[in-house]
C-alpha cells in the first residue's frame, strides 16, 4: 500500500517566545524506480500519488514513448517502489542522451537544451489559444484553492491543465517537474488534445518547467512566481507565452504577449 501524501511529525513550535509541543503535517517523499524491460532506467523521488500517470508522462517527456499505445504492460510494485514497463517494441535506450548536454547553434537565437533528448521532444508551440487577464487571475485562484496538501504542508507544487475558464485536471507533487509529468501522463491516457490547453503552475518558471511545457505541447504557462532568464529565452524561441507573478489582479507577461487579450470581444494582435 502506498504511503499517504502527508505524514505527521512531532515538532517544537516557537512563536513570540512561547514554546509548545505539537504535531505538524509534512509532505511525504517516495522513491520510485522505473525499469524498462530488464534495465533500470531512472529513479524519481516524488509524492506517492498518480504514479502511473507520472510514469507515462515521464517516459513521453524523455522521448522513450510517444503515446500509451507503445506500452505493452505497466505494473507498479507499491511496497518495493518499482514500476515495471514493457514496451510494444523493445528499444535500447542510450543513457548518454539523458545526461549529455546539447547546445544547438541553428535552432533559434537562444535555444539551449540541457540534454540531447530535449532536442527530439521539445516542440515549438503553434497554439492559437488566447486568454484574458481576468481569466489568468481566475485560474490561478482556482489552482491555489484546489490543493489541501499545500495548505497543510506548504511543501508541494501544484500544476493544472486548463482551458481559459476552468481547471481540467490538477496534480500535486514535491517535485515541480513530477507534477507536470503527471499532467502529461493524464493527457496521454485520456487522449486529450493539448495545443489548445493552458498550464497553471504554483512554482517558479524555470528552464526545466518551460521545456516540460514544450514537450507536453501547450502554448501558455501561468504562474504566481518568477521566471528565470534561460526559461524566458527558451519560451521566446519555443513560442510559449509565459505569465508570472499572477497575484490578485496583477501579473507580468514576459513572452508572446499576443495570446493575452483584453477581453473575449477583442482579438489577439
Amino acid at each position: 500500500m502506498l504511503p499517504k501524501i502527508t505524514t505527521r511529525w512531532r515538532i517544537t513550535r516557537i512563536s513570540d517566545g512561547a514554546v509548545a509541543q505539537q504535531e505538524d503535517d509534512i509532505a511525504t517523499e517516495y522513491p520510485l524506480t522505473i525499469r524498462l524491460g530488464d534495465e533500470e532506467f531512472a529513479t524519481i523521488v516524488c509524492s506517492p500519488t498518480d504514479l502511473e500517470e507520472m510514469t507515462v508522462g515521464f517516459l513521453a517527456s524523455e522521448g522513450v514513448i510517444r503515446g500509451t499505445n507503445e506500452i505493452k504492460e505497466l505494473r507498479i510494485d507499491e511496497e518495493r517502489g518499482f514500476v515495471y514497463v514493457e514496451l510494444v517494441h523493445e528499444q535500447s535506450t542510450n543513457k548518454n542522451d539523458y545526461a549529455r548536454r546539447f547546445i544547438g547553434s541553428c535552432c533559434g537565437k537562444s535555444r539551449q537544451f540541457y540534454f540531447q533528448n530535449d532536442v527530439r521532444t521539445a516542440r515549438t508551440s503553434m497554439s492559437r489559444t488566447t486568454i484574458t487577464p481576468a481569466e489568468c487571475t481566475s485560474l490561478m485562484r482556482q489552482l491555489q484553492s484546489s490543493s489541501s496538501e499545500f495548505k497543510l504542508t506548504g511543501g508541494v507544487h501544484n500544476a493544472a491543465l486548463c482551458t481559459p475558464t476552468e481547471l481540467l485536471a490538477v496534480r500535486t507533487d514535491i517535485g515541480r517537474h513530477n507534477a507536470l509529468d503527471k499532467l502529461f501522463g493524464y493527457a496521454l491516457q485520456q487522449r486529450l488534445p493539448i495545443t489548445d490547453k493552458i498550464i497553471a503552475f504554483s512554482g517558479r518558471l524555470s528552464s526545466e518547467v518551460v521545456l516540460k511545457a514544450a514537450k507536453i505541447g501547450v502554448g501558455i504557462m501561468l504562474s504566481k512566481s518568477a521566471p528565470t532568464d534561460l526559461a524566458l529565452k527558451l519560451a521566446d524561441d519555443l513560442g510559449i507565452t509565459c505569465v508570472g507573478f499572477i497575484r490578485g489582479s496583477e501579473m507580468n507577461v514576459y513572452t508572446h504577449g499576443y495570446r493575452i487579450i483584453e477581453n473575449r470581444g477583442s482579438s489577439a494582435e
Side-chain angles (χ1 to χ4, degrees), residues 36-98:
L36 285 179
D38 296 328
E39 294 185 1
E40 185 173 305
F41 183 68
T43 296
I44 304 170
V45 178
C46 59
S47 296
T49 59
D50 307 301
L51 299 182
E52 182 174 328
E53 288 179 353
M54 187 183 68
T55 300
V56 171
F58 176 76
L59 292 177
S61 180
E62 293 301 305
V64 176
I65 63 171
R66 287 177 293 181
T68 55
N69 61 315
E70 297 181 26
I71 298 176
K72 181 179 180 180
E73 182 183 12
L74 191 156
R75 178 171 56 87
I76 298 174
D77 184 336
E78 298 175 352
E79 185 175 347
R80 297 181 62 222
F82 278 86
V83 55
Y84 302 93
V85 181
E86 297 289 340
L87 301 178
V88 173
H89 302 290
E90 290 188 17
Q91 56 179 275
S92 178
T93 54
N94 185 352
K95 292 187 178 181
N96 287 331
D97 287 349
Y98 303 92

Side-chain angles (χ1 to χ4, degrees), residues 146-163:
S146 66
S147 175
S148 58
E149 291 83 11
F150 181 80
K151 293 174 185 176
L152 285 172
T153 69
V156 294
H157 290 283
N158 301 312
L161 194 64
C162 320
T163 68

Side-chain angles (χ1 to χ4, degrees), residues 161-162 168 187 190-198 216-218:
L161 194 64
C162 320
L168 300 177
Q190 300 300 317
R191 289 178 167 78
L192 289 180
I194 290 296
T195 55
D196 62 339
K197 302 301 187 295
I198 296 160
I216 293 170
V218 299

